[in-house]
Amino acid sequence: MHRMAGDSFTAFFPKMTGSLEVSGPMLPIRGEKHVQVSLTHVVSFQKTGAAPMGKVNVQLGYYDAFGNAETLFFAMRDADYHALKQKLGK
């Protein structure tokens, strides 16, 4: 599955497959939680280790709409990780 224009990225959450999409100033996350995160509220995006089948474990830190610090953990393809990291500038 190829992503269109590099904007949508598959994310493998512990209980399901979801996605992250760079959409204007927002980062909609569809997974175990469905959230809309402002790109300016993303504080960290880092690889935490290797996962099977060419994937990497990732940690995404952000502030929610109420100013609470939140952290999501998921896996994604290594190439997608690097492309999203570049888009996020983190």
Side-chain angles (χ1 to χ4, degrees), residues 5-6 20 36-37 39-40 42 46 50 59 66 72:
L20 291 87
Q36 292 273 346
V37 178
L39 291 177
T40 60
V42 175
Q46 59 193 11
Q59 175 181 324
F66 302 104
L72 287 178

Side-chain angles (χ1 to χ4, degrees), residues 36-63:
Q36 292 273 346
V37 178
S38 170
L39 291 177
T40 60
H41 292 167
V42 175
V43 293
S44 65
F45 182 69
Q46 59 193 11
K47 191 184 315 188
T48 61
M53 300 181 68
K55 296 181 182 92
V56 294
N57 292 316
V58 176
Q59 175 181 324
L60 173 72
Y62 66 93
Y63 288 104

Side-chain angles (χ1 to χ4, degrees), residues 74-88:
F74 53 91
M76 62 190 316
R77 292 176 190 94
D78 191 51
D80 283 354
Y81 165 77
H82 290 289
L84 182 54
K85 186 166 183 70
Q86 185 176 24
K87 279 199 168 286
L88 295 175

